[in-house]
Amino acid sequence: MLLVRMLRSVVKKGEVLVIDASGRQWAVGDAATGPSVTIRLHDPSVSYKFALNPRLYFGESYMEGLLSVDGGTIYDFMDVLGLNIGTGTFNRADR
């Protein structure tokens, strides 16, 4: 899954469990090194939208109900991403 590949390049501290629209699960990161959070994608297109513009489509997908945070809150997910600022890139525009 494209989103999981992107997250693997970024999340080094903490863990993000991603559940896609078909129910398949991927763990990214290490729960022993920081907080853990679970996100669920309710539409298969969300992963591709994130590849196009993660800064735009993350918030848009959350507000439209296409992405939900099941294990924790939206702030927990943002905390995990914030802990990992500078450890990788989402796309070429972020370099």
Side-chain angles (χ1 to χ4, degrees):
M1 173 195 255
L2 190 56
L3 174 60
V4 172
R5 288 192 347 205
M6 289 170 47
L7 287 173
R8 282 191 178 135
S9 72
V10 174
V11 177
K12 308 298 183 201
K13 300 175 189 172
E15 179 184 51
V16 177
L17 178 65
V18 180
I19 304 171
D20 71 7
S22 65
R24 191 165 174 202
Q25 298 182 15
W26 288 273
V28 178
D30 183 8
T33 60
S36 182
V37 66
T38 301
I39 62 170
R40 180 180 302 269
L41 307 178
H42 300 281
D43 186 311
S45 69
V46 173
S47 180
Y48 300 107
K49 288 180 180 181
F50 272 39
L52 294 174
N53 190 341
R55 293 178 182 174
L56 171 67
Y57 288 114
F58 169 71
E60 188 174 291
S61 298
Y62 181 76
M63 294 303 294
E64 290 178 358
L66 301 176
L67 175 144
S68 63
V69 183
D70 291 350
T73 66
I74 191 70
Y75 299 109
D76 296 329
F77 181 57
M78 293 172 62
D79 185 35
V80 171
L81 294 180
L83 285 172
N84 290 283
I85 289 176
T87 62
T89 58
F90 272 119
N91 62 27
R92 289 185 158 316
D94 287 342
R95 291 186 186 168

